[in-house]
Amino acid sequence: MEKKLEVKNLSVSFRTPLGKAQAVRGVSFELYAGETLAIVGESGSGKSVTSKAVMGILSGNAEVLSGEILFDGKDLLKIGEKEFSRLRGNKISMIFQDPMSSLNPIMRIGKQITEAMLLKNRAARRKDKSVPRLKKSEARRKAIALMEEVGIANAEKRFEQYPFEFSGGMRQRIVIAIALSANPEVLICDEPTTALDVSVQAQILKLINKLKRERNLSVVFITHDLGVVANVADRIAVMYAGKIVEYGESEEIFYEPKHPYTWALLSSTPDLETKERLETIPLSPPDMLFPPVGDAFAERNPYALEIDFEEQPPFFKVSETHYAATWLLHPLAPKVGIPEALAERMKRRKAKWTK
Ligand code: ADP
Ligand code: MG
């Protein structure tokens, strides 16, 4: 399969008054063409920092300590600012949790979409005179088509409205339309449904699936909620304390999880329908100013071995597509299976969930 994007051994720290916060610690993943890769983990695990590094929009106190971010065979961390900004927002687009933060509250929706197109067209023409000029009327026509593509009814009329006249879900659709206006190949969605009601959430997920299919987009879908990705992800990477601790195909992560953190996440993920009582994960994630020497999950892990407190586990291979970094997979480790309650629960879900 063609690799669209490849992140290798990425480490990012932040300078803070208290010291260096090691937000991302040696993250590697691949995004294949036309797939949706979900990155899942509790708040603070480094998901947003990872995606901001890919977009080149880290804050000023960030420091990329190591890594490569390969797109079209080029390392985004090595190319110049100019080339980077051509890729960012064009071949790679990103949408965020709060659509309001990406929209101008006092500018008509239509203008915000056309403005994005006209700006890009101008920038492209500055570099290459043979790029035809985008006329305003043409931009308007394209913007309305995009609004229709993302499921906004009465697009002609709504083109003239302001963000406050749209619901949260509709605003997220507009932000998606703006992200699509440059015909990206990769779309990074950072908690795009977290601020929305459950029913609206489902609609946005459906839209992302449709766009992925119709535009052959490669999608990175970031969320703290494993329940959300069941219906969108082809593969899942589970992140904890700045590291990926397990990754595999969606089915492998849901039905054959190997890392105790993945077990804990799955056990704390509510079923959309049954709202059954959940187990919460005890304690909090570690302080990234002083990350533990061993497995960062050890102190919250009821299955922790002595070695978990001393040495970071390597990735152990579970299948061609499935890897987990837990000492429990070491041949000499005691045999510990998926907790029984979770296994039961997943069996019930499997019967219900269809992709
Ligand atoms: P999430 O997985 O919730 O998206 P983030 O990637 O936003 O987590 O953050 C990862 C870690 O990096 C957190 O501990 C957070 O406090 C820290 N962090 C993020 N941005 C900054 C910043 N600008 N300055 C200092 N620390 C930061
Ligand atoms: Mg985040």
Side-chain angles (χ1 to χ4, degrees):
M1 258 193 295
E2 186 200 346
K3 282 180 198 164
K4 230 27 269 176
L5 180 71
E6 189 172 6
V7 172
K8 283 186 178 170
N9 194 30
L10 177 71
S11 294
V12 181
S13 283
F14 290 96
R15 289 180 296 276
T16 79
L18 295 174
K20 272 194 182 176
Q22 301 176 38
V24 173
R25 306 185 294 152
V27 160
S28 301
F29 63 86
E30 282 141 17
L31 176 68
Y32 296 109
E35 76 161 346
T36 298
L37 170 72
I39 302 181
V40 184
E42 278 167 293
S43 172
S45 53
K47 308 180 299 293
S48 293
V49 171
T50 301
S51 50
K52 285 178 181 167
V54 172
M55 293 298 289
I57 52 171
L58 287 167
S59 59
N61 62 334
E63 207 176 331
V64 177
L65 302 175
S66 73
E68 288 171 77
I69 301 174
L70 302 171
F71 181 80
D72 274 350
K74 278 184 201 145
D75 185 353
L76 299 186
L77 294 173
K78 292 219 178 78
I79 60 178
E81 178 62 32
K82 259 197 184 148
E83 199 175 352
F84 201 157
S85 56
R86 194 166 357 128
L87 289 174
R88 176 203 315 151
N90 286 307
K91 294 198 165 181
I92 310 176
S93 276
M94 183 161 172
I95 60 171
F96 300 90
Q97 173 172 341
D98 174 16
M100 234 15 208
S101 67
S102 320
L103 294 172
N104 179 344
I106 57 166
M107 193 192 277
R108 291 180 202 275
I109 286 294
K111 185 153 189 208
Q112 303 200 38
I113 307 176
T114 55
E115 202 86 320
M117 292 180 192
L118 292 165
L119 275 173
K120 290 216 173 94
N121 179 248
R122 245 169 268 151
R125 275 169 52 80
R126 262 201 302 278
K127 246 181 294 344
D128 180 358
K129 289 282 172 271
S130 68
V131 174
R133 196 173 72 88
L134 178 65
K135 286 198 201 109
K136 269 198 176 159
S137 58
E138 176 68 3
R140 182 192 153 93
R141 199 188 54 74
K142 280 191 170 165
I144 289 173
L146 273 173
M147 288 170 74
E148 282 165 353
E149 184 181 356
V150 298
I152 293 172
N154 285 327
E156 295 245 0
K157 179 177 145 230
R158 306 219 80 183
F159 187 89
E160 306 296 341
Q161 294 182 325
Y162 291 93
F164 74 86
E165 297 175 86
F166 288 71
S167 65
M170 285 295 154
R171 286 201 280 259
Q172 195 57 285
R173 287 174 195 264
I174 295 291
V175 172
I176 293 172
I178 294 173
L180 293 178
S181 67
N183 275 322
E185 295 169 15
V186 173
L187 184 65
I188 302 177
C189 308
D190 191 356
E191 309 252 6
T193 63
T194 301
L196 305 173
D197 292 345
V198 173
S199 62
V200 183
Q201 236 180 50
Q203 292 163 11
I204 297 291
L205 294 176
K206 232 169 130 182
L207 171 63
I208 291 172
N209 271 343
K210 175 189 100 128
L211 295 170
K212 171 192 142 189
R213 227 177 24 246
E214 291 176 359
R215 290 180 167 249
N216 194 30
L217 277 173
S218 311
V219 178
V220 179
F221 192 99
I222 293 173
T223 176
H224 67 281
D225 184 353
L226 254 172
V228 162
V229 303
N231 298 312
V232 292
D234 298 301
R235 291 191 307 124
I236 298 174
V238 178
M239 213 170 157
Y240 185 75
K243 284 175 177 288
I244 289 175
V245 297
E246 178 162 13
Y247 62 95
E249 292 183 345
S250 209
E251 280 73 14
E252 294 174 316
I253 298 300
F254 276 108
Y255 304 117
E256 320 226 6
K258 298 293 182 199
H259 198 290
Y261 180 62
T262 312
W263 297 344
L265 261 191
L266 283 166
S267 302
S268 66
T269 304
D271 266 341
L272 291 181
E273 302 93 348
T274 58
K275 306 218 165 54
E276 69 188 288
R277 272 188 58 191
L278 302 171
E279 295 163 41
T280 51
I281 310 177
L283 308 174
S284 309
D287 182 348
M288 297 316 287
L289 286 169
F290 311 101
V293 283
D295 182 333
F297 189 57
E299 59 170 20
R300 306 172 76 189
N301 178 7
Y303 310 96
L305 309 171
E306 224 166 287
I307 192 171
D308 279 311
F309 294 91
E310 288 155 13
E311 207 177 313
Q312 289 185 8
F315 273 113
F316 291 93
K317 181 174 173 178
V318 182
S319 79
E320 283 306 321
T321 47
H322 184 187
Y323 289 78
T326 166
W327 286 116
L328 289 181
L329 291 177
H330 190 280
L332 297 179
K335 297 280 162 274
V336 180
I338 303 173
E340 213 164 295
L342 176 61
E344 274 301 309
R345 195 162 171 233
M346 295 319 291
K347 226 193 286 170
R348 267 181 284 130
R349 280 190 180 177
K350 195 169 188 172
K352 266 190 317 209
W353 282 359
T354 43
K355 235 183 118 187

